[in-house]
Structure formats: C-alpha cells, structure tokens
Amino acid sequence: MTQTLRIALAGLGTVGAGVIRLLEANGALISARAGRPIAITAVCARDRSKDRGVDLSPFAWEDDMTVLATREDVDVVVELVGGSDGPALALARRTLAAGKGLVTANKAMIAHHGMELAAAAEQAGVPLRFEAAVAGGIPAIKGLAEGAAANSCRGIYGILNGTCNYILSRMEASGADFADMLREAQELGYAEADPAFDIEGTDAAHKLAILAAIGFGTRIDFAAVDAQGITAIRAADIAQAAALGHVIRLVGRADMAEAADGTRKLFQRVAPCLVPHGHPLASVDGPTNAVVVEGDFVGRLLFEGAGAGDGPTASAVVADLIDIARGARLPPFSLPVAALADAGPADPGDRRNRAYLRFVVADRPGVLAQITAAMRDAGVSIESLIQQGQAEEGGEVLVAMVTHEAPERAVAQAMTLLEGSPDIAEPPLVMRLLD
Ligand SMILES: NC(=O)c1ccc[n+]([C@@H]2O[C@H](COP(=O)([O-])OP(=O)(O)OC[C@H]3O[C@@H](n4cnc5c(N)ncnc54)[C@H](OP(=O)(O)O)[C@@H]3O)[C@@H](O)[C@H]2O)c1
C-alpha cells in the first residue's frame, strides 16, 4: 500500500490550519507510520484572501465545499467547519454518498446525525471517524472503542468542556464570581464570544452522547441527555465546596441503569458536581479535559489532556487519517448501526446520592424551618446545614446544606414543595456529590 491517501480539507480555521501545520511538520513520520503518504489535494473556506499563517499554494481551492466530495483526486474529506446542520452536514452526506471517507471534529453534527451518517458510511463501505469531536487531543474514542473493546462498560464520566473547567478552576483560585471568570476566559480565547453552548452544558452533552453510544452499544440519544450548565454557580458555592473538602467540576456521566421492569436504560447527564479532593477529576484544572472509562475487567481507565486547541485537535484528526491510511475498518460506533440498541432514557429518580443544595432566601425568621420541613416531608435527611453570612435588613442570605444519601426523586420532591415560596428568591441550586 504505497498509494498516497489524498485528502480535502473543508474549513481552514483553528483546526484546519492546525492540520496543515501538523502534516507539514511531521509528514515523514506520519507517512512511515501510515504506510503511505497522506497529502492534501484541495481545500475550502469562506474567505480565500484571509492570511491563515500556512501556505495554501500547493492545494486546489474550492469556493463551494460540497464540490470537495466529488473531486476525483480526493479519497477522504476532512470536515472542520462546524455546526450540526447546514453546510457541514450537506458536505458529510455528499462525501459518504460519493463513496469517500469522512473525518470530522464536529461533535454537534455527530451528536445529532451520527446514526444517519454511520449508516451511510456502512452502506458505502467507507470509513467515518471523529476522534477529535470528543475531548480534542485525547484518544478517548480510541481508548474506549479499541483499548477497552473486550470489556462490558460500567460507566463513562469526565470533564468534557475545557471552557467550563477553566472558569470553575479560576473561580476556585481567585475567589471571583462566574461573570468575571467568563470574561477572562473570553479574553484568553478559552471561551467563544457567544459562550452559551459551553457554559450551558450543550457542548459536553454532545460529547457525552457520542461516548455513551460507543461505550454501551446504544443508538445516540442526544435529546435524552440531562444537560445543566455552570451559570448559577457563585463564588460562595466554590468556597463552601472547598470547606467541605471538594471542588466543583462540570461532569458528564453515562451508565446503564436497571429499570423497574428489568430492562436496561441509558442514563446520561452533564451537571456541575462536588468532586472530593483526591479524586482524579479534582486535580484536572484549567482548559484540560479528562475521560474516565470503567470496564468490568480493566477497571478504571483515565484519559487526560488538552480538550481543544489547534495542535491537540489536529493531532486527533491526523490520527484518524493514519488509521484510514492503514486500512482500519472499525464501525464508527464500534458496532454496526443495526446492532446498536435503542435503550431509552433511564429515570434518574431512583439514583441515590448525597446532594449539595443552595438557596437564596429572605433574611426572615422561619425560612430555615420552612426548608428543613420540606426536606423532612420528602424524606431527605440533612447531613450539614450552613447559613452563609448575614444580609442587610430585609435582604437575602445564602443557605447551603449537604444531604445524606437520598434518592433523587425525594430531593426533587422537596424542591417541588418549596416552589412558589415567597421567601425563596431564585431556583435552588442542586449539585450531587461525586463520592
Ligand atoms: N477549536 C478547537 O479547539 C476544536 C476542538 C475540538 C473540535 N473542534 C471542532 O472542529 C470544528 C472546527 O472548529 P474551529 O475551531 O477550527 O472553527 P473555526 O476556527 O471557526 O473555523 C471554521 C472554518 O470553517 C470555514 N467555514 C465556515 N463556514 C463555511 C462555509 N459555508 N463554506 C466554507 N467554509 C466555511 C471558515 O472559513 P473562514 O476562515 O474563511 O471564515 C473557517 O475556516 C468544529 O466542528 C468544532 O466544534 C474544534
């Protein structure tokens, strides 16, 4: 196999330019490992005149990226444009229909359309790979689908969004509030101008849905991910978590839970959690990502590294290309699409955990008694209760507590009992403890 693997790059932004630089810098090593040269033949972006810090003169330029899918001198299209639908999806569909391989870093597209695209790739007998879509440079998909292939997966969890992790670890180090650290993250390029996808948990949910499908052999069910973000977390919560020996991290978790009728359902959640000091996720700071895979025979595997950035993401894209050049033919989700189960979402109500609850309440007598009565009526016992700071006359105070282990259904019931109380100023913050 000495024939060159000819690729087309759609998108020449952070990742696209990174792929060009990586292929240039390590071309000889990559060819040797791939068993044949990997060469870019054509590229496409919106603005041809933009200086991207890379030499584009050796490559053909296309103004319409869907044309890349039908060029005769292209074997694999690398989609680095982004967006769940629109031009990226049109290109992906056309590429697979034309019988060419597809490599993408686009988690949104795979989370929404992964099943359709995997079926199209299968039908065409071509590879579809998306290592860079989950946790940037970390070989999380490879680790799960190949390294842990012999295991029944017990659980997958991790820190899947570098922007949130940067903000939370900076809040911890500086004592500053969320809004200030979001601004800092934006100034440093760790957060987008429109950070909603990151800070509301959607980006991590995309990645979790992809990992869950591979790990549990289920069809992707992005709509069923319970995604919560980090916008409600205050400096006081970080301080309280620290006093309890914990840090706060946005954690994505997926596992299979047994339902009352004995069937196995898929649990998927992204939410801020209290992680105890000493847990491997507690020391994951800054924009770093970490993925934990629990296998029945291998035990706990931890993959940690850069979850974004041009170099790390390009590294994952090119690793996929090397696999394709070598002739690897793994089903995109580890199993053929027809063999993936339609598990349906698990009811989280039966899950038992300790919870951190934080209320913003009016500084009036009887408010604490109201909260503790709701907890008692719902059958949730309180392990520790902290009233933080005295408010101004008629102002608000924060009340935080940690519950003993209780079913989530009971905690939710307590929150329902308190709904509409004129003494509670904003929706309570509920965070589980990762014990
Ligand atoms: N950045 C990361 O660290 C990272 C990490 C993991 C995964 N990803 C994923 O990788 C993908 C690319 O991300 P990125 O950060 O490289 O994005 P980016 O810097 O915004 O680059 C996007 C590129 O797509 C081009 N483009 C957009 N719409 C187009 C259209 N209609 N026709 C042709 N070209 C078009 C843009 O052209 P112009 O340059 O001419 O505007 C640009 O070159 C996304 O799916 C993202 O989620 C990124």
Side-chain angles (χ1 to χ4, degrees), residues 12-15 45-47 50 52 80 82 105-107 132 308-309 313:
L12 299 170
T14 305
V15 186
R46 271 179 306 215
D47 180 357
K50 200 189 267 185
R52 302 166 192 279
L80 302 170
N106 189 337
K107 50 230 147 186
T313 313

Side-chain angles (χ1 to χ4, degrees), residues 228-230 233 248-251 270-274 430-432:
Q228 298 157 37
I230 62 167
I233 296 169
I248 298 177
R249 293 286 179 268
L250 185 72
V251 177
V270 171
C273 291
L274 270 68
V430 179
M431 292 191 284
R432 277 95 198 172

